Amino acid sequence: MAQVWSRAGGNMDVLRSPDYAERKAELTALGGLLTEAGAGRGSVALVSGPAGSGKTHLLQTFCKEAENSGALVLTAMASRAESGLPLGVMDQLFRCETLPAELRRRATALLAGEPSGARGPDAGPETMNQPSVEVANGLRSILLELSDRGPVVVGIDDLQYADGPSLQMLLFLQRRMKTSRVLLLLAELSTVRSPHPVFHAELFRQPNCRKIRLDLLSRSGVHTLIEARLGPAKARELTEAYHAASGGSPLFLTALLDDHEAAHRPGGEPAVPEPAASEAAFRTALTDCLYLAEPSALAVARAVAALGTAGSPALIGHALDMNTSTVEHAIASLAATGLLGPEDFRHPATRTAVLAETPPDTRHDLHLRVAAALHHAGAPPGPVAEQLCAAEQAPEAWMIGVLREAARGALAAGRRATACAYLDLALKECADRRQLAALTADRMRIEWQKSPLKAMRHVELLWEALRAGHLNGHDAGLLTRGLLWHGRYREAREALALWKAYGAASDPTESEELAALTTWMAYSHPSLMTSPGGTLATAPRTGPDAARPFGRHAVSVLYRLLADGAGEAAAARAEAILHSVVLGGATLESLHAALLTLLCADHPDKAAAWSDELLKEAEQHDAPMWQVVFAAMRADAAFRQGDMATAVRHGEAALARLPASAWGVAIGSPLAVLILATTMMGRHDEAVRYIRRPVPDTMFEARYGLHYLHARGHFHLATGRPAAALTDFESCGRLATAWKLDLPALIPWRGGAAEAALALGLTTRARALVEEQLTRPGTRQPRTRGTSLRLLAATGAPEDRPGLLRQAVELLRPDTGRFELARALADLRDAHEALGEREAAEEAGRRAAEMMASCQVPAEWARPEVVVRPAPAAPATAISAPSGVAPAASERAAGPAGPLKEPRPPAAEVLSDAERRVAELAAAGVTNRAIGRKLFITVSTVEQHLTRVYRKLDVSRRRDLAARLGLGAPDAESA
């Protein structure tokens, strides 16, 4: 054996193995010591290294090779469990099966003769009593006898757990074996503080002692091991990641490679991300390492895992009730194993693995301790709340406040799920009723962003809190807004009354919150602001002071606009608010009011751009409630611009983001735009589908009902039911007037009523409606005034029409009112044509056709309405609805298959829409060529339509068409 190591520098087969990458020098050094021992120069080698560095593997490998080469090997392994047994290591050593039986009996007798109480397990190596010396001499004699036969290797692993008397014996033997053929090989865990400082001092005093330290593997060593197991290609791919994750620890590296091979085994589980630090082999290695390390290391590792950082030993010490010095030593020990980097575990999955192996009760208690330590150190609420959630408990009163503050912070950062988790724990643990109400309101506020319907589950508890006087103004406002959204107006009135009864008007903060709510209600839910006597229950302040508090500025600007009419000053203030206000639950109303102000101030282009920006922000926040608000506003802006396809797209998107039951009364807003847009595009079947969607009756007590009635009126008008249209427009007007929302820029109901009156032949009434509209606030805006002038022209003499229509065309702009401009141009074409001004008519017609096409609207919209009186047997069926509204209840009751139109003569039912339009014009005496120009079709197409009409109606002459269609000649007004 000695000759082999001497000639070759060690066993070459072992040294060539990749398993011993970066361990060749150590094996060579041990081989040299064995050679020296074989020559009669005995020595001691102490191999040390952190947990997982390969000490045991090195010791076992060397002992096996030494035995194969002819040396006698005696081994023992100390353990934490047996560290209290005096001479336990020596007893294990001399009971080895490799020791001849006779010598084993002698050693057993010697050790048994040592007085059991003479030396305790913790006895130091400083002094030995006489019986111990005699035992030591006897053991030395046995070793010398063995060495006469050949070299002897005595290997002891995990020396850090050795008992005191055994350490005394080892020092005794070391001092007396310098000329023997014995190699004493010891291996121990290196720690920051040596468990046996005196033993080490005595051991290293002797010249025949060699210290060998095992370091963690370098990047090159990791590459060598990976290459040996997985090949060069994988080694190049994995070396960096595996070196970082393992820290160079052979134990962890081997475990990671085991997990890699298991994950990539043919037919096995799908491949996992590299490296898979949460897999079985790594978890086992991690547990082994932590339990083998010094006692404080396990507790500190768990604390680091709970805290998420090792950068604060004092904080960890506070949580563990451990002094800072001990924590620092444990952290250094963990770093030496390769587990810890400068601040945290080297691989993020290690944290999960450490916490997973911790018993649940211990883990929860640890998180609670860490939370208290963080709070004591003045940490922000977020980290403290994270620990409380991990502990699944918050037993102390201060913890509830921390959870609530942390929830606010998480919500502001866009982490809604985290905020909900904090609040849910606080709600579970809170015992104070007032605090419980505030927490419930916070939870409802968060859920409202996601689902207004789900958020209403908190209403009952908030009601109880409001009745008990436990709800502050901010939360009372939340409850009231929720009730209003869902049309629960009776309860909303009761909530407002209770709020006022508890002194909302006397407290400045409460008063401000109440004023903000009533100002918002004045334009969103105005029916609640009107008492039975007809006066406002709470008149919103509109002076300068009312606009100052944050959150009310935009609402106040809008309310003043509704009262006084729009202007550029209002638009400028609205844009300033949009520039300065950040999107959030508390600012949603302000932003919505600012956008509506831009729409009413004749700036749909700016409203569209801002809606797009806010919609993107709402999507980033994953807040469907915010998304539907801005999608509906975007749809409205697109419709006002004349971009019908975009209006439909955003209207549909708004409806898709929330289920119908979650929309409440606000569903009228997107439905109104969709009904209008699809009607103007000639897609009447789609418009019918929107009209048949169920809506709450209380929608007609909110502003959204006005938009819906106005839209449905235009649908009736476009589909040949002017009487039903007039009913809807007038119902809309009565409500708008009663609610002080009679602003043409918001809802131009008089314009729609005037068109319906014209279709009924009521020219004088139509003119009165248009003239009255021109006197309303805000009608100096180009879009509103231009539209009004177009309608006014339709009520005047033919020779007066071109002048008014030219004014309308000059006022209307393609970017803010493309569709209205197209209609004005079409009317101008017809006015010129009626006066025989062919060139002017053709130019206006060409521009009208281009504009209609850009709006995605069929050319038929460019023709003037045929003024006819409906048949006497076809009255509009009105429905009863709140506050004098007359929507089509019979239509709704009829369901999807029910009628949605006034009765028409049966003969006309067989005609298509295109055939009916041609037939009506022909019945009115219009020539085929004129019909073609008005409908933008060829003369040949007109003739084909008429051929089919004659066949279907069984007539042969134009003059018979009127009777078969149930049309009378246009006559003078009678009412």
Side-chain angles (χ1 to χ4, degrees), residues 68 93 96 173 180 311 479 610 625 644 828 831 885 891:
N68 290 341
L93 188 67
C96 281
L173 294 173
S180 68
L479 172 61
W610 278 108
M625 179 60 182
M644 303 302 170
L828 181 60
V885 180
E891 296 170 5

Side-chain angles (χ1 to χ4, degrees), residues 690-858:
Y690 296 126
I691 289 174
R692 283 178 173 161
R693 287 190 65 146
V695 295
D697 288 340
T698 48
M699 183 186 75
F700 298 100
E701 297 182 52
R703 173 175 57 84
Y704 314 105
L706 301 182
H707 295 288
Y708 184 87
L709 287 170
H710 178 255
R712 196 176 65 187
H714 276 289
F715 169 78
H716 288 318
L717 194 58
T719 52
R721 294 182 297 280
L726 187 60
T727 299
D728 274 347
F729 290 131
E730 290 182 338
S731 296
C732 176
R734 282 194 299 272
L735 292 175
T737 303
W739 294 343
K740 302 189 183 302
L741 295 179
D742 188 8
L743 187 72
L746 180 66
I747 305 172
W749 68 270
R750 287 183 182 83
E755 290 194 68
L758 284 170
L760 291 167
L762 307 175
T763 307
T764 302
R765 187 172 179 184
R767 187 176 186 87
L769 285 165
V770 176
E771 289 176 343
E772 186 180 6
Q773 177 164 290
L774 285 167
T775 66
R776 296 300 303 162
T779 50
R780 298 196 67 80
Q781 296 174 60
R783 184 175 185 275
T784 303
R785 188 167 184 80
T787 303
S788 300
L789 290 177
R790 179 184 69 79
L791 292 170
L792 188 63
T795 67
E799 62 271 16
D800 296 332
R801 292 174 185 173
L804 289 170
L805 289 169
R806 280 193 292 271
Q807 290 183 51
V809 169
E810 290 175 3
L811 288 168
L812 295 166
R813 303 192 307 271
D815 57 336
T816 59
R818 196 183 320 162
F819 179 60
E820 291 300 331
L821 175 58
R823 296 191 70 185
L825 286 166
D827 285 1
L828 181 60
R829 175 207 63 199
D830 293 335
H832 283 306
E833 189 175 81
L835 297 174
E837 300 168 350
R838 187 176 183 83
E839 289 186 11
E842 289 179 353
E843 173 60 21
R846 182 188 60 77
R847 291 182 61 193
E850 291 175 356
M851 203 65 65
M852 285 289 178
S854 69
C855 295
Q856 303 92 34
V857 170

